[in-house]
Amino acid sequence: YQRRVHGGISACAVCDGALPLFRNRHVVVVGGGDTACEEAMFLTKYASQVTMLVRRDVMRASRVMQERVSKNPKISVRWLSEPASCAGDGLLAEVHVRDLSKGTVDTIPASGLFYAIGHTPNTEFLGEQLELKDGYITTVPGSTHTSVEGVFAAGDVQDRKYRQAVTAAGSGCMAALEAESWLH
């Protein structure tokens, strides 16, 4: 199963963070928004230490999330930094971190690297064909029906809250059932 999370690199802490691969080990979270803070907080349940790499000198996260992160003894923040590369023999062993203010690169021993650098739904191609709100397709509450009859939306393009594979699969099933019903 370790190979399925790409040797220790993941874009979903909730999906993969509890795996034995990351338990009681140092992990790195990339990002400085609410999602990154939430993922870092979640990972503290399992990891021995969480280092956040934040490209800027401030976080974009809400004040509440920033406070939670700063008060958690398992989380440290590296400002003005980004991953430069990763190394390991089949599984992640270290993250090479670039200091953006100095241009230097140093190494963090880590078993996990979690990307939480934002999410933009891929809906631009729709133009004004469907009703969108902040880039997400608007659906009738509790369904996958869109502003156009016979068009159904599922997954990350309409889910601004959870944005998880399991919820995308569930809404995909809903859309399929609703489309089938509409066709008949």
Side-chain angles (χ1 to χ4, degrees):
Y1 188 74
Q2 293 173 345
R3 294 260 180 229
R4 285 190 228 161
V5 291
H6 310 290
I9 300 173
S10 173
C12 183
V14 174
C15 305
D16 302 323
L19 291 172
L21 175 65
F22 307 119
R23 286 185 185 254
N24 301 311
R25 297 201 174 110
H26 186 180
V27 298
V28 174
V29 173
V30 180
D34 281 335
T35 300
C37 291
E38 288 171 11
E39 296 219 344
M41 293 294 294
F42 176 81
L43 288 165
T44 62
K45 295 176 186 178
Y46 306 102
S48 60
Q49 182 181 359
V50 177
T51 299
M52 292 183 69
L53 304 181
V54 181
R55 289 182 49 101
R56 301 171 56 196
D57 59 353
V58 295
M59 286 190 191
R60 292 179 190 229
S62 65
R63 184 177 303 267
V64 171
M65 288 308 298
Q66 290 182 51
E67 288 174 8
R68 287 181 186 164
V69 164
S70 69
K71 290 179 181 176
N72 192 312
K74 284 187 159 187
I75 300 175
S76 62
V77 179
R78 302 241 340 228
W79 305 103
L80 298 166
S81 62
E82 66 182 8
S85 62
C86 298
D89 187 19
L91 295 174
L92 183 69
E94 55 191 32
V95 177
H96 304 138
V97 179
R98 178 178 295 111
D99 182 313
L100 297 171
S101 64
K102 299 174 188 170
T104 57
V105 176
D106 66 334
T107 301
I108 298 176
S111 295
L113 176 65
F114 293 85
Y115 279 92
I117 52 176
H119 175 82
T120 303
N122 189 11
T123 58
E124 236 178 75
F125 73 97
L126 295 169
E128 296 181 13
Q129 296 178 73
L130 294 176
E131 183 181 329
L132 303 176
K133 182 177 180 187
D134 301 325
Y136 291 91
I137 299 172
T138 303
T139 55
V140 174
S143 79
T144 62
H145 292 269
T146 68
S147 59
V148 174
E149 186 177 343
V151 177
F152 305 89
D156 292 358
V157 296
Q158 60 85 36
D159 177 13
R160 68 177 47 84
K161 183 174 181 182
Y162 299 107
R163 299 179 302 208
Q164 299 292 323
V166 68
T167 57
S171 70
C173 180
M174 287 174 58
L177 293 170
E178 289 179 342
E180 181 183 36
S181 175
W182 183 81
L183 288 169
H184 297 289

